[in-house]
């Protein structure tokens, strides 16, 4: 007796696989990881019949290093990924200080300037032919400067 069951599976993907063939790589990795295995809860998984959704990484929390601070927001590097955090997506108490050298966003208890380590939540991505760019936020709890 066979049953068709909808399951979820998370695949950690190294950034070197990001690019135009990423979806094909994810599908082949899913087939090799899941087909022919035995799940204690569901029994033998004979075949992957279809893939209903491939997530985009939105909502993922990552650590990065600030490499540019402007009036518009901050730019951070998260490994090979460039991430922009707009001024509207910063904590409300962080204010841009153009007179500081280097430029920074400051509040009573934290300073964000070049080479500051920050924790960012990814809220959007854009894929170009040669790179991936992300939009992030540090407006939520437990995000922002990492001590």
């Amino acid at each position: 007796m066979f049953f068709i069951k909808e399951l979820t599976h998370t695949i950690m993907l190294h950034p070197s696989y990001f690019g135009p063939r990423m979806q094909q790589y994810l599908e082949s990795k899913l087939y090799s990881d899941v087909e022919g295995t035995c799940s204690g809860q569901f029994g033998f998984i004979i075949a992957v019949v279809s893939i209903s959704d491939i997530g985009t990484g939105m909502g993922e929390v990552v650590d990065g290093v600030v490499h540019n601070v402007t009036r518009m927001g901050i730019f951070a590097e998260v490994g090979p990924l460039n991430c922009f955090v707009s001024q509207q997506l910063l904590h409300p108490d962080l204010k841009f200080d153009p007179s500081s050298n280097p430029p920074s966003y400051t509040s009573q208890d934290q300073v964000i300037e070049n080479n500051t380590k920050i924790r960012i939540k990814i809220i959007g991505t854009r894929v170009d032919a040669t790179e991936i760019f992300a939009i992030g936020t540090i407006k939520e709890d437990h995000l922002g400067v990492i001590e």
Side-chain angles (χ1 to χ4, degrees):
M1 182 175 346
F2 297 97
F3 298 98
I4 294 179
K5 180 74 177 156
E6 185 171 318
L7 305 173
T8 60
H9 186 72
T10 301
I11 297 174
M12 298 302 286
L13 186 63
H14 188 273
S16 65
Y17 291 105
F18 291 178
R21 301 194 65 212
M22 180 173 63
Q23 184 164 346
Q24 293 149 337
Y25 175 77
L26 286 171
E27 290 173 0
S28 102
K29 179 89 171 119
L30 176 67
Y31 293 135
S32 67
D33 284 359
V34 174
E35 287 184 339
T37 62
C38 182
S39 163
Q41 186 176 6
F42 300 110
F44 286 103
I45 299 172
I46 298 170
V48 174
V49 177
S50 66
I51 299 172
S52 61
D53 181 40
I54 295 178
T56 59
M58 272 16 130
E60 185 171 341
V61 176
V62 295
D63 294 345
V65 178
V66 174
H67 69 87
N68 193 10
V69 177
T70 68
R71 184 176 302 281
M72 301 292 288
I74 58 175
F75 293 87
E77 293 176 342
V78 180
L81 178 68
N82 285 317
C83 185
F84 175 67
V85 181
S86 168
Q87 182 181 14
Q88 289 81 19
L89 297 172
L90 297 172
H91 289 286
D93 55 337
L94 283 167
K95 303 295 180 208
F96 182 67
D97 183 6
S99 63
S100 67
N101 190 14
S104 63
Y105 280 90
T106 57
S107 70
Q108 259 185 331
D109 58 343
Q110 61 183 345
V111 175
I112 298 177
E113 59 188 10
N114 287 347
N115 298 318
T116 302
K117 293 180 183 177
I118 59 172
R119 183 156 292 142
I120 307 165
K121 181 177 181 181
I122 304 294
I123 59 171
T125 57
R126 184 187 79 221
V127 180
D128 289 339
T130 58
E131 69 176 341
I132 298 176
F133 193 76
I135 304 294
T137 182
I138 61 171
K139 207 172 193 174
E140 299 176 12
D141 291 340
H142 309 292
L143 301 177
V145 176
I146 302 170
E147 301 295 324

